[in-house]
């Protein structure tokens, strides 16, 4: 392996390692965001959304750097390209890259799942708020507007 290629591979490893750490931070932020959403803590939600945005910006920046490194190495920036690259590496280096890549891909999948969960929760909360503000019927088939039902229920209690 040439010195230049070895340097590029080391840099690629470091970028993937950094991305993995950022993804792990993102997972933590997304879990805390879910809790803040459930608690309707809008201040904490705003802080966490800003933090999430900063982390995603870092991930995007690293993604561009990773794609450039792969291009220099003559490797396509997809799963097949990574598999071909891993197959060409000496055994010890291949094992290190494989372990890191496995952790990296798991963190991406976890982040995606948490993002979907948080997005669904935000959507449900938004629909509920919209129904409450517009006085739309409840989802239980009640033809009476939600706001009136709530007022009547409180008055009768």
């Amino acid at each position: 392996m040439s010195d230049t290629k070895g340097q590029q591979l080391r840099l690629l490893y470091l970028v993937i390692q950094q991305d993995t750490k950022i993804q792990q931070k993102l997972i933590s932020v997304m879990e805390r965001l879910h809790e803040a959403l459930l608690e309707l803590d809008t201040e904490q939600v705003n802080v966490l959304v800003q933090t999430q945005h900063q982390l995603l910006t870092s991930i995007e920046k690293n993604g561009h750097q990773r794609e450039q490194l792969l291009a220099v190495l003559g490797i396509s920036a997809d799963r097949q390209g990574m598999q071909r690259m891993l197959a060409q590496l000496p055994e010890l280096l291949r094992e290190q890259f494989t372990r890191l890549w496995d952790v990296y891909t798991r963190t991406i999948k976890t982040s995606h799942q948490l993002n979907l969960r948080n997005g669904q929760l935000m959507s449900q909360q938004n629909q509920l708020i919209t129904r409450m503000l517009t006085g739309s019927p409840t989802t239980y088939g009640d033809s009476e507007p939600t706001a009136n039902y709530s007022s009547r229920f409180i008055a009768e209690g």
Side-chain angles (χ1 to χ4, degrees), residues 8-9 12-13 15-17 19 66-67 69-70 73-89 93-94 96-102 104-105 108:
Q8 296 295 325
L9 284 171
L12 178 62
Y13 187 89
V15 169
I16 295 170
Q17 191 174 46
D19 257 359
R66 189 175 54 253
E67 287 176 9
L69 288 167
L70 288 169
L73 291 166
I75 301 166
S76 61
D78 56 17
R79 186 182 316 171
Q80 292 81 13
M82 188 55 98
Q83 293 301 324
R84 280 192 296 277
M85 183 198 77
L86 291 172
Q88 295 173 7
L89 295 175
L93 192 55
R94 180 176 48 244
Q96 291 173 335
F97 255 98
T98 300
R99 278 193 302 272
L100 178 61
W101 189 252
D102 288 346
Y104 177 66
T105 56
I108 290 173

Side-chain angles (χ1 to χ4, degrees), residues 11-12 15 18 60-70:
L11 187 53
L12 178 62
V15 169
Q18 183 181 27
E60 183 178 4
K61 179 182 158 214
N62 284 356
H64 292 302
Q65 186 177 9
R66 189 175 54 253
E67 287 176 9
Q68 289 173 346
L69 288 167
L70 288 169

Side-chain angles (χ1 to χ4, degrees), residues 31-86:
E31 288 171 340
R32 291 183 357 238
L33 177 60
H34 188 259
E35 292 301 316
L37 288 166
L38 289 173
E39 295 169 4
L40 302 175
D41 185 344
T42 55
E43 285 183 38
Q44 185 68 6
V45 167
N46 288 333
V47 168
L48 292 169
V49 166
Q50 287 177 342
T51 303
Q52 179 178 337
H53 178 71
Q54 292 167 350
L55 292 169
L56 290 170
T57 300
S58 295
I59 290 169
E60 183 178 4
K61 179 182 158 214
N62 284 356
H64 292 302
Q65 186 177 9
R66 189 175 54 253
E67 287 176 9
Q68 289 173 346
L69 288 167
L70 288 169
V72 167
L73 291 166
I75 301 166
S76 61
D78 56 17
R79 186 182 316 171
Q80 292 81 13
M82 188 55 98
Q83 293 301 324
R84 280 192 296 277
M85 183 198 77
L86 291 172

Side-chain angles (χ1 to χ4, degrees), residues 114-132:
L114 292 173
N115 189 50
L116 289 175
R117 179 184 72 171
N118 288 348
Q120 289 170 344
L121 180 56
M122 284 185 210
S123 177
Q124 291 167 350
Q125 288 176 341
N126 188 37
Q127 289 173 5
L128 178 62
I129 290 168
T130 300
R131 281 195 307 263
M132 291 172 69

